[in-house]
Amino acid sequence: LAASTTPRKARLSRRDAGVLDEAFDRCGAVCKEYAKTFYLATQLMTPERRRAIWAIYVWCRRTDELVDGPNAAHTSALALDRWESRLDGVFAGRPYDMLDAALADAVAAFPAVDERPFRDMVQGMRMDLAKSRYATFDELYLYCYRVAGTVGLMTVPVMGVSPGSQAGVETVYAGALALGVANQLTNILRDVGEE
């Protein structure tokens, strides 16, 4: 994976630890409410990894809500431009709000987290604004990569790879990407029956 292009500031000051703790608590509450089994799995992680995963989950959820949430009809390309500018702030250590602050702290704590998958996810949301049908599997795959495969790429650096693993890091990333794409394809197939 390519290295991040935005220079990162050091982790947020611990003098704001109370606010940061509250931000992570909110992230955990959102994860617990909307992704119950995923939340339970995070309980097996170290506290620092768990909090970082919650922050990533919440950012992904907020990003998805821009095009799939209750106000999605009002989301424009300009709104996604603004969201992407906020992402710049996260990776530069200048968060916009407390949930962004949790993610900023997480990406500072885990410098291997690359901003490219986050940007790619925003591009997936742009695809949602432009079209809902894909003529080829290659187009569909690109969409699935952007809206779901990216999640695996965001989280592997936090979850890590066991030092004793027989699989190389590239294999782990490929597996995480494939799992995300497969989950999105499954979601699409499930939606076909409902719609």
Side-chain angles (χ1 to χ4, degrees):
L1 291 174
S4 175
T5 57
T6 302
R8 296 186 196 182
K9 291 190 174 185
R11 291 186 71 181
L12 299 176
S13 168
R14 291 313 275 172
R15 69 187 156 97
D16 295 325
V19 172
L20 200 52
D21 286 343
E22 183 183 344
F24 280 115
D25 288 346
R26 284 192 188 178
C27 290
V30 170
C31 187
K32 185 176 184 178
E33 181 177 349
Y34 294 100
K36 290 173 180 47
T37 53
F38 180 70
Y39 175 82
L40 288 174
T42 66
Q43 300 307 298
L44 301 173
M45 299 176 183
T46 64
E48 189 172 38
R49 289 180 194 280
R50 176 172 49 243
R51 288 163 49 123
I53 292 295
W54 290 346
I56 291 170
Y57 172 83
V58 167
W59 185 87
C60 292
R61 181 166 184 80
R62 292 169 81 193
T63 302
D64 184 63
E65 288 287 312
L66 291 171
V67 297
D68 281 341
N71 296 316
H74 305 291
T75 299
S76 64
L78 180 59
L80 291 174
D81 290 345
R82 289 182 182 137
W83 188 249
E84 201 162 16
S85 292
R86 285 178 61 164
L87 183 62
D88 293 338
V90 165
F91 276 87
R94 294 185 317 270
Y96 179 79
D97 63 17
M98 77 182 327
L99 297 177
D100 285 354
L103 183 59
D105 188 73
V107 300
F110 295 92
V113 173
D114 185 15
E115 71 183 88
R116 178 83 261 154
F118 292 84
R119 292 193 181 286
D120 288 347
M121 180 177 273
V122 174
Q123 292 306 314
M125 300 307 118
R126 291 182 195 284
M127 291 174 79
D128 268 334
L129 290 181
K131 66 194 294 187
S132 60
R133 293 180 141 324
Y134 296 96
T136 68
F137 184 76
D138 287 343
E139 284 183 338
L140 180 61
Y141 180 87
L142 177 62
Y143 173 74
C144 291
Y145 157 71
R146 286 179 173 170
V147 300
T150 52
V151 178
L153 302 182
M154 293 172 194
T155 57
V156 166
V158 174
M159 289 192 267
V161 178
S162 173
S165 174
Q166 296 291 326
V169 172
E170 290 173 4
T171 302
V172 172
Y173 273 97
L177 173 60
L179 180 60
V181 169
N183 282 333
Q184 185 61 32
L185 287 170
T186 302
N187 287 342
I188 291 168
L189 289 171
R190 191 177 56 214
D191 289 347
V192 167
E194 291 174 9
E195 295 173 2

